[in-house]
Amino acid sequence: MNLQLTRTQAAFAVAGLLLAVGTPTAYATFDDGTSAAPQRGEPYIETQLFFGTARPDGGPAVTDKQFMAFIDKEVTPGFPNGLTVQSGRGQWKDMSGTIEKERSYELILLYPVTEAGPSDRKIEEIRRDYEKAFGQESVGRVDDRAQVDF
């Protein structure tokens, strides 16, 4: 099964997740006061970046080869411990109000909470570099806390 989200669908999904995170959750507790829900792993930040491939100037779309070369050069050096890239189809309303439908990529980065400051700077540089290199209006970003165990 290949699940592909549009930017609008992704935005609604993120909004739903944010609402769910803010909603109190009840867990059963044992007589000793511990929670029945296990806490595994270490506190991490999960950052998702959404890269479009259509060029606003009408030029040729960003190819898989170009995108992976960008990942190798601009992302991997800053996040050598690992990352995930997923292909998709997305849409969004550009600055002129036109709904653009395009091939897209989602990049998922996981990093310890203790590295949030330096990682944020690297991620913002990745976003700027992609926008500049491929003439994009923006690169979407979503951040969330996670418990991670490898």
Side-chain angles (χ1 to χ4, degrees), residues 48 84 122:
Q48 298 168 281
T84 299
K122 291 180 214 173

Coordinates of all heavy atoms in Angstrom, one line a residue, residues 48 84 122:
Q48 N 10.1 16.7 10.2 CA 9.8 16.3 8.8 C 9.9 17.5 8.0 O 9.4 18.6 8.3 CB 8.3 15.8 8.8 CG 8.0 14.6 9.6 CD 6.5 14.4 9.8 OE1 5.9 15.1 10.5 NE2 6.0 13.5 9.0
T84 N 15.5 9.4 6.8 CA 14.5 8.6 5.9 C 14.0 9.6 4.9 O 13.6 10.7 5.2 CB 13.4 8.1 6.7 OG1 13.9 7.2 7.7 CG2 12.4 7.4 5.8
K122 N 21.1 23.7 11.4 CA 21.4 22.9 10.2 C 20.1 22.7 9.3 O 20.2 22.8 8.1 CB 21.9 21.5 10.6 CG 23.3 21.5 11.3 CD 23.7 20.1 11.6 CE 24.5 20.0 12.9 NZ 24.7 18.7 13.4

